[in-house]
Amino acid sequence: MSDNFVKSDRNISNPLEGLVEEGEELELKVEISRILYPKKGTAQDGSGYTVFSASNNKYGNLNFSGVMANAYVGGIFTIRGTWTKNKYGFQVAILSYEEEIPKDAKGILLFLQGNIIKGLGKTYAERVVKKFGEKTFEVIDTQPDRLLEVSGIGEKRKNMIVESWKANKDIRDIMIFFRNNGVTEHLATKFYKQYGSETIDTIKKNPYCIINDIYGVGFKKADEIALQMGYQKDGYNRISNGISYTLDREASSGHCYLDEATLATLTGKLLGLPASIISGFFPELEKEKHVIRFMDIETKLPSIACKPIYDAEESIAKNVVRLMYGSRNVSINADKEIKRILRKAKKAKVEYDEGQIEAIRAAFLNKFMIITGGPGTGKTTIMREIIEAFEKNRASVKLAAPTGRAAKQMTIATGREAMTLHRLLKLTPGERYEKSSSGEESAKPNVDADVLIVDESSMINAELAATLLEAVSDTTTLIMVGDIDQLPAIGAGNVLKDMIESEVVVCKKLTKIFRQAGQSRIIKNAYRINNGECPETTNKMEDDYLRQRTKDDRESAKTIVDLVTEVLPRVYGTSPKDIQVLCPQKKGTIGTFELNIAIRNVLNGKNKKICNNERGGFYIGDKVMQMTNDYDKNVFNGDIGYITKYDEDEQVAIVDFDGNEIEYDINDMDELMLAYAITVHKSQGNEFHTVVMPLSMSNRIMLQRNLFYTALTRAKKLFIAIGDKNAEFQAVRCHSQEIRNTRLKWILRSCIR
């Protein structure tokens, strides 16, 4: 716990000496007299950690500490806890608690003013209690329409109060049921939002379901609940869920499968069991069709994949072949179109190199192809030519990209609307195809355009690629565009790389840099990095690649904060909104966690704080990034926006994602993270006016060529490297590509044989 909350009111000596032994468990009925942490005027910690003083008839005034998010002055609770001593003195460490619902008007008012019930902030709580007094709770329970008698309460607010009141009671029941599992009010609320009145029954049936259903809940918490509920440590249910979790965790690192020995070892470590016990369950899991067992083509090792990812790679290969050999609605005379394009280019005094012409020709001759190339090689230019040629031949053309920002940039570059793949495919969470409201499976999404062009294709993982290719109609020409030298996709698979390396799919690689692009040090240095050479700069103001050496990480952090908040806005006139800090890692002095807090405190620290968490909470005006795909809200992992409003009564924040205003319940704010600084991995598919990147040997493990290259190519106008010369050398020298366990390359080859 932080040192910045109010210390104990008592002396360090034991106030209950002779009455209670240290470590003894107590059950006390108390009335809270003072909240010590969080301090008045600040938001609750995301963990729900609270420190308070409370009076007990037997022992007098004592200090309490623990997870208790709904504590308020005047509240009466029965608390079970342990009498402990820490550096702040003797306290009761809270194990569990139950609240006594107040019966008098004063207590009811205190209860309602604690922002517990949506729609009843301080003002409306006073009006309701003044009107109904001790019968307030009875009115809300049995005569909710009477709330309309209170000034300012209409139908909408009444419904909000009633729904929140019911939810609050259900959440308390959930907390009581899981009292021994450290389930906070915040977590209980998330359970309730997901499962409603069926929460307890759902989790009793399978406690491990919360891992995938509830954002921010890991295996440890689910396993703790499962063991408390009587699951056997070495039983099938626990081990099968442990294996599934391990496969999912490794999938998030790119692996489509693991060899059996590695899977058994990793799962055994997770569960605290020998690997031999884990491996004994593999046949049963295969029989239940939870996993697929097979022999790895390259390593010849027996391996295991979760079925959806295994099926995804199979589906990709099948549909690539289907599209390659399918017919098409629109045929183009390639020679004729190439001549037209060259005539137009000559008039405009534009030159195309042989590689660019061949890429355009291939787009006219092939049903499925890939165009890859680094920055400045003309990918966008030839995309425009391809689109124009197909449109002139009365073909319908659709454009798409993996992220909202990438789609927006594609729209600007081509002058035609591009959409996200999620929107194109009408995807819903956890489903390959959209379901109707009746629950019936609708026809699979059908991309029936004559031509589909997908940009930033290196970002597409196996499951998304499978869904995309399944949706593309037989007669559609599919062109995938991307930079193969960037970091691979987040999630399982290495789809674009595997397609290219299979040598089955037609691929045209652009290598020549346009004259104008070649004047940019950003682009020149991107190719130097790819070639294993250190970037060059004169460090003059007119350069678009700058570096500043620092003696250590602390100086780097201060330099970055100064650049973002003061130097770049003053010297270059660049708005802080146009500056993005890209970090190799999350942790450390120059990691995203600490830099986000430092930058926010300067830029935005005086604004109203709306909630707290272990990462510094959120303020009005904060720059944030969405961490999950939320199909209901139409906001996706990696989207960047700004918190613009917060309604205290409704406990709802508004986040503006490039004009798309999304409501967030206060309990859903952990779907967001501060985004003044983000990791390089999270930046994929985005471009920023100015990029600032710390480089330090403290991040040695992450300093690789493709990471440096990806960060640099996110900058449109200016890139600034901050830190250690040796770290820059390390990032350039280290070309060890991330090895992912994938099968797609081999499956594609086998399909063609």
Side-chain angles (χ1 to χ4, degrees):
M1 188 181 68
S2 167
D3 291 342
N4 60 3
F5 72 89
V6 178
K7 294 187 180 182
S8 170
D9 289 342
R10 296 182 175 273
N11 191 283
I12 199 76
S13 62
N14 189 349
L16 302 184
E17 194 169 355
L19 300 173
V20 178
E21 296 292 325
E22 189 175 348
E24 185 176 339
E25 194 169 296
L26 302 170
E27 187 170 295
L28 306 170
K29 185 176 180 179
V30 300
E31 180 178 347
I32 296 177
S33 54
R34 184 184 176 196
I35 305 294
L36 303 176
Y37 176 85
K39 295 178 182 179
K40 188 176 180 181
T42 66
Q44 178 60 264
D45 188 286
S47 67
Y49 194 92
T50 307
V51 183
F52 58 87
S53 292
S55 59
N56 171 259
N57 288 338
K58 183 176 180 179
Y59 297 122
N61 203 50
L62 303 173
N63 283 347
F64 295 76
S65 63
V67 176
M68 189 168 164
N70 61 333
Y72 61 95
V73 174
I76 298 174
F77 295 82
T78 298
I79 296 175
R80 184 169 65 85
T82 306
W83 187 240
T84 59
K85 178 185 175 183
N86 60 27
K87 63 182 178 179
Y88 298 103
F90 280 88
Q91 301 175 342
V92 178
I94 301 168
L95 299 173
S96 65
Y97 65 93
E98 290 183 40
E99 183 177 3
E100 184 175 301
I101 301 298
K103 296 180 176 60
D104 64 296
K106 182 181 177 182
I108 291 170
L109 180 60
L110 287 170
F111 176 88
L112 294 178
Q113 286 182 332
N115 283 328
I116 293 170
I117 308 301
K118 287 186 180 182
L120 283 178
K122 183 179 179 182
T123 301
Y124 285 103
E126 287 176 351
R127 293 178 187 177
V128 169
V129 175
K130 185 177 180 181
K131 177 73 175 176
F132 303 115
E134 295 176 0
K135 294 185 177 181
T136 295
F137 293 156
E138 183 184 339
V139 168
I140 298 174
D141 261 331
T142 63
Q143 299 173 287
D145 285 343
R146 289 200 63 194
L147 290 169
L148 298 171
E149 299 172 17
V150 178
S151 174
I153 295 182
E155 192 70 25
K156 181 180 176 183
R157 187 173 294 274
K158 179 208 77 173
N159 290 336
M160 187 190 306
I161 293 168
V162 173
E163 288 170 12
S164 182
W165 175 253
K166 181 184 181 305
N168 189 263
K169 291 196 327 185
D170 288 343
I171 289 164
R172 288 168 190 274
D173 290 341
I174 294 167
M175 290 180 68
I176 291 169
F177 183 83
F178 294 112
R179 67 170 65 180
N180 295 322
N181 303 114
V183 174
T184 65
E185 185 175 15
H186 176 73
L187 188 53
T189 301
K190 293 180 80 68
F191 288 172
Y192 181 79
K193 285 192 70 175
Q194 180 69 29
Y195 307 120
S197 59
E198 303 296 316
T199 295
I200 293 173
D201 287 342
T202 300
I203 297 178
K204 281 171 69 176
K205 186 177 179 181
N206 178 18
Y208 295 99
C209 67
I210 63 178
I211 299 170
N212 294 320
D213 292 347
I214 312 294
Y215 179 75
V217 176
F219 186 87
K220 184 178 178 182
K221 175 58 67 178
D223 196 46
E224 180 186 324
I225 293 172
L227 291 171
Q228 287 282 349
M229 290 171 54
Y231 275 53
Q232 295 298 307
K233 191 174 180 181
D234 59 353
Y236 174 80
N237 286 330
R238 183 170 184 255
I239 289 176
S240 63
N241 280 283
I243 291 169
S244 294
Y245 176 78
T246 302
L247 286 170
D248 285 345
R249 183 185 64 197
E250 294 303 305
S252 68
S253 299
H255 299 300
C256 293
Y257 62 90
L258 293 174
D259 68 84
E260 290 190 0
T262 300
L263 178 58
T265 300
L266 292 175
T267 306
K269 187 177 180 181
L270 174 73
L271 301 178
L273 294 170
S276 58
I277 291 179
I278 306 300
S279 59
F281 284 83
F282 291 160
E284 192 170 352
L285 281 169
E286 182 183 31
K287 186 178 177 182
E288 295 290 330
K289 297 184 178 179
H290 294 310
V291 300
I292 303 291
R293 300 175 76 193
F294 62 97
M295 192 67 69
D296 186 352
I297 295 174
E298 286 191 274
T299 65
K300 309 301 182 189
L301 294 173
S303 300
I304 291 182
C306 64
K307 192 172 185 306
I309 294 177
Y310 184 94
D311 290 346
E313 289 201 293
E314 295 280 342
S315 176
I316 292 168
K318 179 187 73 176
N319 284 292
V320 165
V321 175
R322 172 178 66 86
L323 292 171
M324 284 172 59
Y325 296 108
S327 60
R328 57 170 125 199
N329 292 331
V330 178
S331 294
I332 287 185
N333 185 321
D335 290 335
K336 181 180 175 182
E337 284 301 325
I338 293 294
K339 286 178 182 177
R340 180 189 63 79
I341 290 168
L342 290 174
R343 284 198 303 271
K344 187 179 74 170
K346 188 175 180 180
K347 282 184 182 179
K349 297 182 179 180
V350 173
E351 290 185 10
Y352 288 109
D353 81 316
E354 187 177 338
Q356 292 161 339
I357 293 297
E358 283 305 305
I360 296 171
R361 185 186 300 276
F364 299 151
L365 296 176
N366 294 278
K367 279 283 278 70
F368 186 101
M369 72 163 298
I370 295 169
I371 299 173
T372 184
T377 55
K379 295 191 299 294
T380 301
T381 302
I382 66 171
M383 256 198 295
R384 286 198 297 263
E385 293 289 3
I386 292 166
I387 294 167
E388 185 179 328
F390 275 111
E391 288 178 342
K392 282 182 178 292
N393 284 270
R394 299 183 179 180
S396 60
V397 181
K398 288 186 177 179
L399 310 178
T403 68
R405 285 206 166 196
K408 187 176 180 180
Q409 287 155 14
M410 195 180 187
T411 298
I412 294 168
T414 63
R416 294 153 177 91
E417 183 188 6
M419 63 185 78
T420 64
L421 289 175
H422 296 91
R423 182 181 159 200
L424 175 75
L425 301 170
K426 301 176 183 175
L427 290 179
T428 56
E431 297 175 325
R432 183 66 61 85
Y433 304 127
E434 193 174 41
K435 304 279 185 183
S436 68
S437 57
S438 65
E440 297 290 324
E441 187 176 286
S442 63
K444 68 178 183 179
N446 186 23
V447 181
D448 57 359
D450 296 318
V451 181
L452 173 63
I453 302 176
V454 181
D455 200 9
E456 296 287 356
S457 297
S458 63
M459 293 181 61
I460 303 175
N461 61 37
E463 290 191 282
L464 182 56
T467 306
L468 170 66
L469 292 168
E470 286 172 2
V472 176
S473 67
D474 292 344
T475 57
T476 297
T477 294
L478 176 58
I479 302 170
M480 300 183 73
V481 183
D483 185 351
I484 199 63
D485 293 316
Q486 289 186 31
L487 290 168
I490 296 172
N494 207 348
V495 175
L496 195 67
K497 184 172 183 286
D498 278 355
M499 283 183 180
I500 294 171
E501 290 186 355
S502 74
E503 298 180 342
V504 169
V505 179
V506 173
C507 175
K508 298 297 179 181
K509 186 169 185 177
L510 306 178
T511 56
K512 185 177 178 180
I513 304 172
F514 279 158
R515 187 182 303 164
Q516 186 177 355
Q519 296 171 357
S520 163
R521 286 194 184 271
I522 288 175
I523 292 176
K524 285 180 180 177
N525 285 331
Y527 286 94
R528 287 184 65 85
I529 291 169
N530 256 351
N531 292 328
E533 303 171 80
C534 278
E536 293 180 336
T537 180
T538 64
N539 249 16
K540 294 179 178 177
M541 187 173 172
E542 59 268 21
D543 272 357
D544 58 5
Y545 185 103
L546 304 175
R547 68 162 65 96
Q548 184 165 341
R549 303 299 189 200
T550 54
K551 63 183 180 182
D552 55 30
D553 287 358
R554 192 170 296 279
E555 185 181 345
S556 291
K558 184 180 183 307
T559 300
I560 290 167
V561 174
D562 289 345
L563 278 169
V564 174
T565 63
E566 197 272 326
V567 176
L568 289 173
R570 173 172 53 81
V571 177
Y572 287 87
T574 309
S575 167
K577 288 187 175 183
D578 293 327
I579 304 168
Q580 186 61 61
V581 179
L582 299 183
C583 304
Q585 291 182 303
K586 296 177 182 178
K587 297 180 179 179
T589 306
I590 54 169
T592 60
F593 293 159
E594 291 196 24
L595 284 175
N596 267 318
I597 299 299
I599 295 169
R600 192 271 308 283
N601 287 347
V602 177
L603 286 179
N604 203 36
K606 294 182 180 179
N607 285 353
K608 180 178 177 62
K609 193 171 194 177
I610 60 174
C611 69
N612 210 336
N613 58 32
E614 66 274 14
R615 298 176 188 169
F618 297 107
Y619 292 65
I620 300 291
D622 268 344
K623 181 180 183 180
V624 294
M625 174 180 278
Q626 175 74 12
M627 299 297 292
T628 63
N629 289 331
D630 192 320
Y631 298 80
D632 294 328
K633 293 189 180 108
N634 192 33
V635 61
F636 301 98
N637 190 355
D639 287 352
I640 295 174
Y642 290 85
I643 300 172
T644 57
K645 300 175 187 174
Y646 181 66
D647 188 309
E648 288 190 4
D649 281 341
E650 298 190 19
Q651 298 175 45
V652 169
I654 303 296
V655 182
D656 185 342
F657 294 96
D658 287 331
N660 184 24
E661 293 191 335
I662 305 296
E663 286 190 359
Y664 284 81
D665 184 278
I666 197 68
N667 291 298
D668 293 333
M669 296 294 285
D670 58 359
E671 294 180 8
L672 301 169
M673 61 170 282
L674 291 176
Y676 302 97
I678 62 176
T679 62
V680 179
H681 285 81
K682 280 291 187 182
S683 74
Q684 290 174 264
N686 289 323
E687 287 184 344
F688 310 98
H689 181 282
T690 297
V691 168
V692 179
M693 183 184 187
L695 288 166
S696 167
M697 293 303 288
S698 63
N699 297 145
R700 184 183 187 116
I701 193 169
M702 295 298 295
L703 294 178
Q704 297 187 356
R705 193 178 297 175
N706 61 350
L707 181 129
F708 195 7
Y709 174 87
T710 300
L712 177 56
T713 54
R714 299 310 88 203
K716 292 193 291 185
K717 298 295 183 181
L718 179 62
F719 180 92
I720 307 176
I722 306 294
D724 189 345
K725 178 170 112 174
N726 291 326
E728 194 173 54
F729 290 159
Q730 169 71 16
V732 169
R733 283 197 305 263
C734 187
H735 190 43
S736 57
Q737 291 288 327
E738 179 184 339
I739 298 174
R740 296 186 167 195
N741 296 337
T742 65
R743 302 164 47 247
L744 180 58
K745 175 172 64 177
W746 305 105
I747 305 171
L748 279 168
R749 289 177 180 176
S750 68
C751 289
I752 299 299
R753 287 184 187 138

